[in-house]
Amino acid sequence: MEVEIDPQIINSPLAREIQAHLQEWVLSRCPDHLGEFLKTSRN
């Protein structure tokens, strides 16, 4: 499934902050291969 979000929303400071928190959470709780996948993911 692919979801598209309005660029104005996704590029907002709040959206970037939420994405950073989610990335930190995933990297701290997922196996190494998932962490590497997250680093290369566009979302």
Side-chain angles (χ1 to χ4, degrees):
M1 179 191 299
E2 189 170 321
V3 177
E4 194 170 318
I5 300 175
D6 185 351
Q8 187 176 14
I9 294 171
I10 199 69
N11 293 324
S12 71
L14 181 58
R16 288 192 301 266
E17 181 179 346
I18 291 169
Q19 184 178 16
H21 286 293
L22 288 172
Q23 286 177 342
E24 289 174 18
W25 185 86
V26 170
L27 288 172
S28 71
R29 288 170 176 76
C30 292
D32 292 338
H33 69 281
L34 289 179
E36 290 301 316
F37 174 75
L38 179 64
K39 289 178 188 175
T40 61
S41 174
R42 64 184 174 111
N43 295 324

